[in-house]
Amino acid sequence: MGKFELSHRPYTFPATFRLRINTMSSSTLSSISVAHPNLADANGVAPHGQTITSEPLLRVRNLCKYFPIKSKGIISRVIGKVKAVDNASFDLYPGETLGLVGESGSGKTTCARTILRALSPTSGTAHFRAKDPSAPGGHRVVDLATLPDRDLKPLRTQMQMIFQDPYSSLNPRMTVGDIISEPLLIHNIGTPAERKDKVVAILRKVGLKPEHMNRYPHAFSGGQRQRIGIARALIMRPSLVVADEAVSALDVSVQAQVINLLMDLQQEFNLTYIFVAHNLSVVRHICNRVAVMYAGRIVELAETEELFSNPRHPYTQGLMAAEPNIDPDIPMQFALAGEVADTGNLPPGCAFHPRCPKKFAPCDKQEPVLQKVAPSGCQASCHLLTPPAGS
Amino acid sequence: MPTATLPASTSTVQAPSGAVSPCALRIENLKTHFMTDDGAIPAVDGVSLSLSRGKVLAIVGESGCGKSVTSYSILRLIRPPGQIVDGSIMYYPGDGTRPIDIAKLNEKSDDLYRVRGGYISMIFQEPMTALSPVHTVGNQISEAILLHQKLTPAQAREKAIEMLRKVGIPGAERRIDQYPHEMSGGMRQRVVIAMALVCDPDILIADEPTTALDVTIQAQILKLIKDLQASRGTSVVFITHDLGVVAQIAHDVAVMYLGRVVENGSVRQVLKSALHPYTQALLKSIPSLGTRGARLPAIRGSVPSLTNIPPGCPFHPRCEHAVRGRCDVGGPPALRTFTGNRKAACVRIEEIHPTVRELTAAEVAAADTLAAEVTAAPAGRHNH
């Protein structure tokens, strides 16, 4: 089946996954999070008998991360909270790339970090389908949000992160070999000789040379450093990789190389990416699906092509119109006035309404819910698309 | 006015729009080197550019190409070990008075102080570091006014409030007494723009003014610069690495690579039918609608270090059109002028683009003399 399509678009994710997403609806989703912690039992979403690959690698439900705002003075009281991530729910399928986009302060990085438990979530669940040879089927589903630290550590080999800044994310006092082999050391994997072999192999995979092992990061260009960061993330053979603005700091010509590398490695190692980025043209190129975040919430979630050809949420529309086009004959539009809402002091109703060019009666009173708005499975949270009852 | 007849007669050589814009700034063979223990690092090595009055010239390139050093050189903001070792930076004042060679001005001369912040001012990339954290934004804007204009502090404050309003800061009367940390990134950048424009400069240099901002805020700031530029007739040098921004704001573009200009022309010429292989490759490596899911045609290798510039054409190791024996020998290729009065520095332009022809020395000279005559004439501000 998908063969024809794959030969043309080698990186797109097989059509079967897409069908799975399409059958989801938000009402079933919200019930799962509480009633069915076991993914395999999730009614109507991932029924038994499905092929293993169509089960999500990660199922995030109602994930929240609030930071306390404390009063000044000796006795600091909590006087409020910053809702950095509020009620994020999405599925991530094996082999796909999910883009998280939004302005700074929209919570996209916090969301990714909370999933990896670099930050502890305030509430919500993040069920991860972990590789476990001892479990039946070779997999077991764990909730990353509530897992104790001691159980989390072995799982960290399966979830890795690529950082934005190739300069500050590498220790200048460690050689490249030490940097890349450190994860192996921490998890006590292999003998020194085996570790060295692994480093050599992964260096080749990311387009560097084995002799680079004994050099220090300062000897490398930005693009090469990012390759080192990628090698460090991939040496544990993770299944989930969070790329947090992984190509944003790179020059255009080098950015294209790293994008190609990320896509090649995804195919070779069957990686699943959460791609946090603000550059929409890169997101459009690399992602299968995209979640648009605003003020800590997902406001629209759709397949990439659909999102870009038919953005439904006014915020998504504004974001896309603001992207400067490389064709001087297609003028940029200045649709969005104002700035991102303060997540410590959100406006009532829809957080976007003070900037929204299409706001109407219910927008400043009632908060919209992320729900399916098209047969294709596109989800959005906007009163315009799903008018609330009684208005 | 003698210049009134010139535009029509030169329209074929200059811009297709028909009007010849006089020159506001002309950089000739600028060389800014950094003297280190390992020898001179040629950050800018023979840059020639001209900025037409009332137009936006974008200088675009990857990191290390010398675009920022060029802009800092214009204001003589290069600090040791860096120094301007050669070339001229001619500034042609809008009031028609005699041109000033900024590169030759004494470090302490009154002329340089008048140029810096008065005739020519600058918007910096990082609005947090460009503003002092211990002074209110009002004091910082007033400082520029008091230095360059004969006004009382109270009048300067009035003017500062008016300027803040013009750059779209709501509640300017209240905001003027705030410190930069009380503002968002977009607001701070507006303050920096207000500071740069408050003395009504002839030329504005914007060094990556939107790079640190979100795309929606970037759109707002670009619109602001565009509107202010159009309404005041300011000439703008806009430094950026984002070709999308170039397309949206600039009239003319200079593409730089390793301290040299490799291509120069109008925004449509350069972005829609690039001559130089580097510009072409750069444009191709940007993800677009057609490339989705496929491999991007990336430029191989990375930008070489300035201490180790390849012989011949500096771009040849990464160029897909490079030919052994021609591209990798001798010095860097000269910036030649081609049909349509566009410039590119590549020995193989005619082979890559069969329809393009190099202008003869006489044709180039004719175009240059006409431009020089126009600029030398005390014509005042044409575009007002």
Side-chain angles (χ1 to χ4, degrees):
Chain A
M1 187 205 73
K3 203 167 183 183
F4 170 75
E5 197 176 329
L6 283 175
S7 64
H8 273 257
R9 294 158 64 184
Y11 299 103
T12 41
F13 112 103
T16 42
F17 300 159
R18 249 178 266 142
L19 290 173
R20 296 261 8 99
I21 304 156
N22 297 350
T23 57
M24 292 190 306
S25 75
S26 63
S27 55
T28 48
L29 292 184
S30 51
S31 63
I32 299 157
S33 59
V34 193
H36 304 284
N38 186 346
L39 292 184
D41 291 343
N43 194 14
V45 176
H48 287 296
Q50 283 286 325
T51 52
I52 289 168
T53 47
S54 68
E55 281 178 28
L57 178 73
L58 182 74
R59 170 163 294 176
V60 178
R61 290 293 172 274
N62 307 99
L63 193 72
C64 298
K65 176 65 193 172
Y66 299 162
F67 293 98
I69 305 172
K70 291 183 175 159
S71 62
K72 287 174 186 169
I74 301 168
I75 308 163
S76 64
R77 288 175 302 118
V78 175
I79 53 172
K81 52 194 169 195
V82 173
K83 296 184 173 183
V85 178
D86 200 16
N87 255 327
S89 298
F90 60 86
D91 287 351
L92 187 64
Y93 289 83
E96 80 162 323
T97 303
L98 175 74
L100 281 184
V101 303
E103 292 169 278
S104 49
S106 63
K108 51 193 194 300
T109 295
T110 312
C111 182
R113 291 188 172 209
T114 310
I115 290 166
L116 293 190
R117 276 287 293 279
L119 300 165
S120 307
T122 307
S123 63
T125 59
H127 284 105
F128 179 63
R129 199 161 174 275
K131 280 181 276 190
D132 184 355
S134 65
H139 291 90
R140 93 194 134 91
V141 174
V142 292
D143 183 5
L144 296 174
T146 54
L147 209 61
D149 285 351
R150 125 183 76 84
D151 297 337
L152 198 60
K153 191 182 167 189
L155 285 182
R156 293 216 179 269
T157 61
Q158 299 179 29
M159 313 176 289
Q160 291 286 322
M161 189 147 177
I162 302 167
F163 296 92
Q164 170 170 12
D165 186 350
Y167 289 83
S168 60
S169 61
L170 302 178
N171 186 338
R173 287 162 183 253
M174 287 169 78
T175 64
V176 168
D178 288 343
I179 288 171
I180 298 176
S181 64
E182 200 182 19
L184 296 170
L185 208 64
I186 288 170
H187 291 282
N188 219 352
I189 295 169
T191 62
E194 285 168 359
R195 286 200 282 266
K196 194 179 167 193
D197 288 347
K198 283 197 170 201
V199 171
V200 168
I202 200 80
L203 275 174
R204 286 214 174 94
K205 284 270 181 269
V206 299
L208 294 171
K209 295 184 183 127
E211 61 261 33
H212 288 150
M213 244 173 91
N214 299 319
R215 295 189 199 162
Y216 289 88
H218 70 83
F220 295 89
S221 68
Q224 286 174 315
R225 283 176 208 227
Q226 203 57 306
R227 288 172 193 267
I228 296 168
I230 292 169
R232 174 177 59 187
L234 296 189
I235 195 152
M236 302 304 297
R237 294 295 155 89
S239 45
L240 172 64
V241 175
V242 170
D244 185 5
E245 302 271 10
V247 298
S248 309
L250 304 176
D251 278 319
V252 178
S253 72
V254 180
Q255 176 177 290
Q257 294 172 2
V258 175
I259 290 171
N260 285 342
L261 175 68
L262 285 172
M263 292 173 99
D264 290 342
L265 294 170
Q266 176 170 42
Q267 264 209 325
E268 184 166 353
F269 298 121
N270 192 27
L271 299 173
T272 308
Y273 289 134
I274 295 181
F275 195 84
V276 179
H278 67 270
N279 185 326
L280 292 178
S281 60
V282 173
V283 166
R284 181 173 200 171
H285 183 80
I286 199 168
C287 296
N288 304 109
R289 285 188 301 146
V290 181
V292 182
M293 292 189 71
Y294 186 79
R297 295 165 169 267
I298 295 177
V299 295
E300 184 163 357
L301 176 61
E303 281 191 57
T304 308
E305 260 330 297
E306 191 180 353
L307 187 86
F308 280 85
S309 57
N310 183 16
R312 290 187 166 88
H313 197 285
Y315 177 64
T316 314
Q317 292 168 356
L319 202 61
M320 284 178 184
E323 182 87 354
N325 198 298
I326 195 150
D327 185 341
D329 294 327
I330 302 174
M332 181 168 41
Q333 291 162 37
F334 309 95
L336 289 186
E339 290 167 4
V340 168
D342 176 6
T343 43
N345 183 21
L346 286 174
C350 172
F352 182 61
H353 86 261
R355 296 176 81 187
C356 185
K358 294 176 180 170
K359 65 166 177 271
F360 62 116
C363 294
D364 56 353
K365 296 173 194 75
Q366 209 172 334
E367 201 175 307
V369 181
L370 186 71
Q371 53 190 297
K372 190 171 143 183
V373 293
S376 61
C378 167
Q379 300 175 44
S381 66
C382 180
H383 293 315
L384 209 62
L385 303 166
T386 47
S391 70
Chain B
M1 199 162 67
T3 53
T5 53
L6 279 170
S9 61
T10 58
S11 59
T12 49
V13 197
Q14 285 282 326
S17 57
V20 178
S21 297
C23 187
L25 189 76
R26 185 185 291 266
I27 302 173
E28 290 285 357
N29 194 32
L30 177 70
K31 291 186 177 176
T32 305
H33 293 185
F34 287 78
M35 307 303 173
T36 67
D37 294 343
D38 303 329
I41 293 173
V44 172
D45 203 26
V47 162
S48 298
L49 283 174
S50 69
L51 168 66
S52 304
R53 184 161 297 286
K55 291 286 164 73
V56 179
L57 167 73
I59 304 181
V60 65
E62 298 180 276
S63 45
C65 73
K67 54 191 192 298
S68 281
V69 176
T70 304
S71 68
Y72 278 61
S73 300
I74 297 172
L75 279 182
R76 292 283 299 276
L77 292 172
I78 301 293
R79 290 279 161 268
Q83 69 182 79
I84 297 175
V85 293
D86 196 10
S88 66
I89 303 168
M90 298 303 292
Y91 163 60
Y92 301 90
D95 53 14
T97 51
R98 71 183 167 80
I100 300 169
D101 185 352
I102 300 171
K104 305 263 180 329
L105 286 181
N106 188 303
E107 192 74 34
K108 297 235 157 55
S109 70
D110 289 347
D111 277 345
L112 185 56
Y113 281 114
R114 267 197 293 278
V115 167
R116 218 186 252 160
Y119 299 141
I120 305 179
S121 65
M122 188 153 178
I123 306 173
F124 296 91
Q125 173 172 1
E126 193 51 71
M128 198 61 219
T129 47
L131 293 170
S132 161
V134 295
H135 296 97
T136 63
V137 299
N139 284 345
Q140 295 185 55
I141 300 172
S142 302
E143 187 190 5
I145 304 173
L146 294 171
L147 273 176
H148 291 286
Q149 297 172 16
K150 291 190 181 72
L151 291 176
T152 64
Q155 286 170 318
R157 188 184 156 88
E158 276 310 304
K159 193 159 181 179
I161 293 175
E162 186 195 322
M163 200 62 225
L164 284 181
R165 233 181 255 131
K166 271 189 196 148
V167 296
I169 293 183
E173 294 85 354
R174 188 173 49 83
R175 287 284 191 179
I176 193 160
D177 292 318
Q178 288 189 334
Y179 290 90
H181 72 88
E182 297 174 87
M183 298 182 167
S184 66
M187 282 295 159
R188 276 185 223 134
Q189 197 56 288
R190 284 172 195 265
V191 170
V192 174
I193 292 171
M195 221 156 100
L197 290 177
V198 75
C199 291
D200 203 4
D202 230 15
I203 298 174
L204 177 68
I205 300 170
D207 184 12
E208 306 243 14
T210 60
T211 305
L213 304 174
D214 276 317
V215 62
T216 55
I217 310 297
Q218 165 173 285
Q220 295 171 9
I221 297 289
L222 288 181
K223 179 172 169 26
L224 175 68
I225 295 177
K226 225 174 168 172
D227 289 351
L228 290 171
Q229 186 269 331
S231 65
R232 296 172 162 234
T234 314
S235 318
V236 178
V237 179
F238 197 100
I239 317 284
T240 181
H241 67 275
D242 186 334
L243 289 164
V245 171
V246 172
Q248 297 301 324
I249 198 157
H251 300 102
D252 300 308
V253 194
V255 183
M256 285 186 72
Y257 186 74
L258 283 180
R260 315 181 70 92
V261 174
V262 296
E263 179 154 9
N264 188 350
S266 79
V267 81
R268 270 182 188 74
Q269 286 173 338
V270 174
L271 294 185
K272 293 205 155 180
S273 58
L275 286 184
H276 198 281
Y278 174 63
T279 320
Q280 291 181 320
L282 209 55
L283 287 164
K284 265 192 270 176
S285 65
I286 297 171
S288 66
L289 196 56
T291 63
R292 178 169 144 64
R295 284 191 75 82
L296 284 173
I299 307 178
R300 61 170 177 255
S302 53
V303 182
S305 149
L306 284 168
T307 54
N308 189 19
I309 295 179
C313 172
F315 184 60
H316 88 262
R318 307 179 72 192
C319 180
E320 58 181 22
H321 296 288
V323 176
R324 187 169 297 176
R326 285 178 60 201
C327 297
D328 57 352
V329 290
L335 195 63
R336 296 183 291 149
T337 309
F338 296 92
T339 32
N341 204 24
R342 45 195 308 198
K343 300 182 175 75
C346 171
V347 293
R348 298 200 62 209
I349 292 288
E350 294 93 332
E351 295 156 51
I352 303 168
H353 309 274
T355 56
V356 170
R357 178 180 68 83
E358 185 180 357
L359 295 186
T360 61
E363 285 169 316
V364 177
D368 276 356
T369 354
L370 286 171
E373 276 173 25
V374 173
T375 35
R381 290 190 179 188
H382 274 263
N383 297 48
H384 277 206

